[in-house]
Amino acid sequence: MGLSEVLRPMSRFNSFKRTQVILQHLGMSKHTDSEPEVFLERTGCAGVITLNRPKVLNSLNLSMIRRIYSQLKKWEQEPETSLIIIKGAGGKAFCAGGDIKAISEAGKAKQKLAQDFFKEEYTLNSAIGTCKKPFVSLIHGVTMGGGVGLSVHGHFRVATEKTLFAMPETAIGLFPDVGGGYFLPRLSGKLGYFLALTGFRLKGRDVQKGGIATHFVDSDKLPMLEKDLLALKSPSKENVAEVLDTYHKKVFEKMSPTSLKITLRQIMEGSSKSLQEVLIMEYRLSQACLRGHDFYEGVRAVLIEKDQNPKWKPAKLEEITDEFLNDCFKSLGSDDLKF
């Protein structure tokens, strides 16, 4: 139930009672659930932050902000804490943003808590951006608004196929805050401007391709990735990057190296060709794939035997020669496609 639904039948109560409800939704009164709203744990050499409000997509309230900030500062000073990981509970969201309904009601009631929320949220964003220890955000599921602020300023952001990113603030009369004015204009091209003005949602791998995430990992690999990170002994940023790169590259290696090389050149050459010229080129490439090994192996692994374990030949990008690639693109003579 949203805050407005809670407050509607309370109009006959006094302002004190309304304030108590606002406090509860902002996380400033005693938490009634059996579990805390955020877990802050030391595991090995890592400090692990788990946002724990899955019923509301781990939306962020002031109590959570204060607890995270305080613990983050402590971990930064502890020599035995070398790594910080933040994630969301429940599987559906990392963090869908700040508890906006509660903030709105507090603002209407002229409660200072609304001002405090933004002030302390932005202070936490800054602390994450200046954290001296490797900071890894596992942004699995919905990651919007305040959830972006908890992750995008850290060193490493790991997206999965279920990641859903957006900065939708303009739809509610706000603006892309939590440092949006910093990270959005620094995305490639004008992507950040587009995301800021439209609230457009990026999904899955596009979150990494767009520069929001630094790495992409299949969601079923997250537990093993986290285990490997926790097993590190006093890791540097380079050590953490090596682990993340290993998982990121394993996803990439599902693709045929031959197909990747062909596709890159296809797209580059296609940018200056007419539709008919592109179709002639693509017919040549289709025949090259039929002459080769990987097309048949890919169909076997994905569609027939479904073991999802293709054995590519060649197995590495560096094994594909320019001579081979040129042969794929060369004219078929009288067998070329004609219009």
Side-chain angles (χ1 to χ4, degrees), residues 267-279:
I267 299 303
M268 292 175 66
E269 293 196 7
S271 66
S272 59
K273 292 181 181 292
S274 68
L275 171 61
Q276 287 70 33
E277 289 171 333
V278 165
L279 292 171

Side-chain angles (χ1 to χ4, degrees), residues 53-323:
R53 299 181 73 202
K55 291 181 180 178
V56 289
L57 301 179
N58 297 320
S59 62
L60 194 63
N61 62 33
L62 187 52
S63 174
M64 295 165 71
I65 290 170
R66 288 176 172 173
R67 293 192 62 204
I68 294 170
Y69 179 81
S70 175
Q71 189 61 60
L72 179 60
K73 286 300 182 181
K74 289 178 183 177
W75 280 335
E76 267 200 291
Q77 299 304 316
E78 292 176 357
E80 59 268 31
T81 304
S82 306
L83 166 68
I84 296 167
I85 298 172
I86 186 169
K87 59 182 180 176
K92 291 184 179 180
F94 168 68
C95 175
D99 197 339
I100 293 299
K101 287 184 180 180
I103 298 165
S104 174
E105 291 295 339
K108 288 178 185 177
K110 307 300 182 185
Q111 297 290 324
K112 186 173 179 292
L113 290 173
Q115 297 174 18
D116 290 344
F117 179 90
F118 287 112
K119 182 183 294 184
E120 296 186 41
E121 181 184 30
Y122 296 174
T123 301
L124 175 57
N125 299 152
S126 175
I128 291 171
T130 58
C131 184
K132 297 178 178 64
K133 298 183 176 180
F135 192 100
V136 180
S137 306
L138 304 179
I139 53 173
H140 174 63
V142 178
T143 304
M144 297 184 181
V148 177
L150 287 178
S151 55
V152 75
H153 305 298
H155 303 110
F156 305 103
R157 289 90 62 192
V158 181
T160 74
E161 75 281 1
K162 295 183 180 179
T163 300
L164 181 63
F165 164 93
M167 294 296 284
E169 289 82 0
T170 55
I172 58 169
L174 202 60
F175 62 94
D177 64 339
V178 296
Y182 178 80
F183 77 86
L184 287 169
R186 286 167 171 76
L187 299 179
S188 61
K190 297 296 182 183
L191 176 61
Y193 294 73
F194 173 71
L195 295 174
L197 294 169
T198 65
F200 186 83
R201 298 180 174 192
L202 291 179
K203 300 177 182 179
R205 194 181 293 274
D206 288 341
V207 179
Q208 185 266 325
K209 291 179 179 176
I212 304 297
T214 58
H215 295 79
F216 178 89
V217 174
D218 288 335
S219 60
D220 61 354
K221 301 292 193 302
L222 276 184
M224 185 58 67
L225 169 60
E226 187 174 350
K227 182 179 178 181
D228 286 349
L229 288 172
L230 294 175
L232 293 172
K233 306 297 182 184
S234 301
S236 63
K237 290 175 189 174
E238 290 73 22
N239 298 144
V240 173
E242 286 174 6
V243 173
L244 294 174
D245 288 345
T246 299
Y247 280 82
H248 182 64
K249 289 176 180 176
K250 283 180 180 177
V251 174
F252 200 60
E253 286 170 0
K254 286 186 176 180
M255 310 302 180
S256 158
T258 299
S259 290
L260 290 172
K261 283 273 193 174
I262 286 175
T263 299
L264 178 60
R265 180 162 163 181
Q266 169 208 6
I267 299 303
M268 292 175 66
E269 293 196 7
S271 66
S272 59
K273 292 181 181 292
S274 68
L275 171 61
Q276 287 70 33
E277 289 171 333
V278 165
L279 292 171
I280 290 170
M281 172 181 68
E282 291 179 355
Y283 180 72
R284 294 172 181 173
L285 296 177
S286 72
Q287 301 310 294
C289 289
L290 289 174
R291 295 193 301 269
H293 164 272
D294 282 6
F295 171 64
Y296 303 103
E297 174 61 8
V299 172
R300 179 205 65 76
V302 176
L303 300 177
I304 299 175
E305 297 180 17
K306 300 182 180 180
D307 58 21
Q308 308 299 323
N309 189 30
K311 306 297 183 185
W312 305 124
K313 294 181 182 178
K316 298 180 180 179
L317 286 168
E318 54 267 29
E319 294 176 359
I320 300 168
T321 65
D322 290 339
E323 182 181 5

